[in-house]
Amino acid sequence: MVTGCSWVKVAPEARDIPLKTLAEVGQCKYLGTATGKTKAKVTVISRNDKKVAKEVLDLARNEALSMSGNTLVAKGDLVDGRQTFAVYRCLQ
């Protein structure tokens, strides 16, 4: 069944990278942006919105890890399986 599938594997080190608000990262160093994109539909069947959002966030977490980031902030809404995040390095 398609709705049970997940195409994204999050790196173990990236699993705990939090999604925060802009107000919570005032003392953090901005590193750049990460964009997560996955399939919102398979053929003509729409995928579960929560699964798509989780996959996009996991992709952004992987990218943040590769940038030495440890915090994400959404820069916009999830649209057609794509979302952009700001990547920060925060003291924790």
Side-chain angles (χ1 to χ4, degrees):
M1 183 173 212
V2 173
T3 57
C5 296
S6 178
W7 290 280
V8 176
K9 300 296 180 208
V10 65
E13 304 86 5
R15 284 188 186 130
D16 294 328
I17 293 177
L19 179 62
K20 295 189 176 184
T21 66
L22 192 56
E24 296 175 292
V25 295
Q27 300 299 316
C28 303
K29 180 180 180 185
Y30 174 76
L31 301 176
T33 60
T35 300
K37 183 178 181 194
T38 191
K39 294 180 182 280
K41 288 185 177 185
V42 177
T43 62
V44 294
I45 301 169
S46 292
R47 295 184 62 222
N48 179 291
D49 289 341
K50 288 182 182 180
K51 285 190 182 286
V52 171
K54 181 183 180 325
E55 287 181 6
V56 167
L57 182 56
D58 285 345
L59 286 166
R61 285 180 169 132
N62 285 339
E63 194 170 341
L65 180 66
S66 73
M67 298 168 66
S68 297
N70 64 2
T71 304
L72 292 169
V73 174
K75 292 183 81 171
D77 294 329
L78 177 66
V79 177
D80 295 328
R82 182 184 185 106
Q83 189 171 11
T84 301
F85 300 85
V87 178
Y88 291 86
R89 179 84 188 151
C90 301
L91 297 175
Q92 295 185 355

